[in-house]
Amino acid sequence: MNQQERIWIVSAPVATVWTSPESPRPIDEQGLERTFSVKKWLEELDDPAKHAMCDDNLVQSQLLYGERVLVDEVEGDWAKVVIPSQPSSKDARGYPGYVPYRQLTEVPEADWKGVDLVVVHAKATILYDEKKQPLFEISFLTELPFLYEEDSFIRVRLADGEGYVSREDARSKPKDIREGSGASIIKTAEAFKGLPYFWGGMSAFGYDCSGFAYNMHKAHGHVIPRDASDQALHGIDIPLDRVEPGDLLFFAYEEGKGRIHHVGFYYGHGKMLHSPNIGKAIEIIDLQGSDYEKEWCRVRRYGTEEGAS
């Protein structure tokens, strides 16, 4: 591989992907920085501010530290990007949107592609610099190039040098982890019960409904589309009466005949595990008698070779 080939990666703990450079509001300023506390930013957003992200179409998705993007162009302080790791019907190359240019770093491709990786398996962990001083918290499923182990730490490559993560919170990523059954996906997803919903959320600081589905599958080696409307078109189509734990349930307006607006996991015994909406948190509910019962329209199964998109 040509050592001079370079790629763009995220150098913020979580980078929100905005609809346009005009989308962020004054209350979002700290979320545009390269170094910030994701938890603190989200805690300062009240429900009306969170609703506006959806109602005013301000936010598209999010990216984790170290995740690769394709930069189509730079417009002042903003980069117009595509996310190859998030399949979407919006662009054949991946999910599109805008990210603050300061939250991206250009690195040698050979340092990040085709190398051994460690993946964060805790909900969140501290990322340390090369002197083991805290930088910021990073999310579950953040992947970093492995360098070596050192006592209770793992030395990793950073966007701008080297640093450390806790050996307790991160582990080597297998080359092939396509063993994730529906039951194992549910087991991983259960751990996030109580996590507040966040529109566009793709980190363990807050997931939206399809981001929750995407990341729980990703944790078990399965790449599925980013949005619920796309997720409903891929995988294996399962009859409603043959649903099994781990299958994705889709819900549409007009009592299931209109536009798909929500996705959740079938939990078993007539229950659903899902990230519901703004102001609520990931929960397990009975489908029967719920508002979702009449809107349930489709089941898709991922997590098998036949069902992979």
Side-chain angles (χ1 to χ4, degrees):
M1 184 180 293
N2 186 341
Q3 293 288 333
Q4 300 306 311
E5 292 181 0
R6 301 178 72 82
I7 59 173
W8 289 95
I9 64 167
V10 174
S11 50
V14 175
T16 297
V17 182
W18 302 86
T19 304
S20 76
E22 292 73 37
S23 295
R25 306 148 300 178
I27 197 171
D28 301 315
E29 285 298 320
Q30 63 178 302
L32 307 180
E33 297 300 322
R34 181 169 176 172
T35 300
F36 70 101
S37 167
V38 183
K39 286 181 180 178
K40 183 178 179 182
W41 173 45
L42 298 187
E43 287 171 356
E44 292 182 2
L45 296 175
D46 58 17
D47 283 352
K50 292 177 181 178
H51 273 288
M53 288 180 163
C54 169
D55 298 341
D56 298 338
N57 190 31
L58 302 181
V59 171
Q60 294 293 309
S61 189
Q62 288 184 319
L63 290 149
L64 302 183
Y65 183 93
E67 195 165 356
R68 182 186 181 184
V69 299
L70 305 177
V71 176
D72 281 346
E73 58 183 294
V74 177
E75 304 173 8
D77 294 331
W78 289 85
K80 184 178 181 181
V81 305
V82 169
I83 310 166
S85 57
Q86 297 181 19
S88 172
S89 60
K90 295 180 179 182
D91 191 308
R93 299 171 298 162
Y95 216 95
Y98 287 84
V99 172
Y101 184 69
R102 67 172 67 92
Q103 293 186 332
L104 301 177
T105 298
E106 197 175 22
V107 298
E109 184 177 28
D111 287 349
W112 288 78
K113 187 175 180 180
V115 299
D116 291 334
L117 298 172
V118 295
V119 58
V120 175
H121 63 83
K123 293 179 182 177
T125 191
I126 299 293
L127 184 64
Y128 298 89
D129 65 17
E130 62 182 352
K131 296 180 180 179
K132 296 182 181 175
Q133 296 301 305
L135 291 171
F136 41 66
E137 273 193 305
I138 53 176
S139 168
F140 174 67
L141 294 184
T142 298
E143 298 178 0
L144 299 163
F146 171 86
L147 294 176
Y148 55 85
E149 294 185 0
E150 183 179 305
D151 299 323
S152 59
F153 292 92
I154 302 174
R155 180 95 169 186
V156 294
R157 194 172 303 284
L158 305 183
D160 53 358
E162 297 180 2
Y164 294 90
V165 290
S166 165
R167 286 182 61 183
E168 183 178 353
D169 294 338
R171 59 189 170 209
S172 297
K173 181 183 178 182
K175 295 295 185 182
D176 184 358
I177 55 173
R178 299 189 64 83
E179 84 295 344
S181 64
S184 61
I185 291 171
I186 285 293
K187 184 176 181 180
T188 299
E190 279 181 313
F192 293 93
K193 185 179 176 183
L195 180 71
Y197 176 101
F198 184 69
W199 173 259
M202 288 286 276
S203 82
F205 302 112
Y207 292 116
D208 64 13
C209 67
S210 57
F212 185 47
Y214 172 96
N215 280 282
M216 297 307 103
H217 279 87
K218 179 182 178 182
H220 292 273
H222 311 298
V223 178
I224 72 173
R226 165 64 179 93
D227 286 340
S229 56
D230 290 334
Q231 292 170 357
L233 299 176
H234 298 271
I236 299 174
D237 190 18
I238 303 296
L240 271 61
D241 61 354
R242 291 176 55 194
V243 62
E244 296 180 1
D247 289 346
L248 291 181
L249 314 181
F250 295 91
F251 304 87
Y253 295 116
E254 301 173 30
E255 296 189 354
K257 298 177 182 179
R259 179 175 63 85
I260 288 175
H261 67 86
H262 189 63
V263 61
F265 286 102
Y266 185 66
Y267 184 75
H269 307 290
K271 298 179 183 290
M272 176 172 67
L273 170 62
H274 70 146
S275 186
N277 48 48
I278 296 164
K280 295 187 177 182
I282 291 174
E283 62 181 3
I284 299 170
I285 64 168
D286 288 310
L287 279 168
Q288 187 173 7
S290 72
D291 293 339
Y292 296 101
E293 185 178 14
K294 291 183 179 179
E295 296 185 329
W296 184 18
C297 63
R298 193 172 301 176
V299 179
R300 293 283 173 165
R301 181 175 299 159
Y302 291 89
T304 66
E305 293 295 338
E306 295 81 6
S309 62

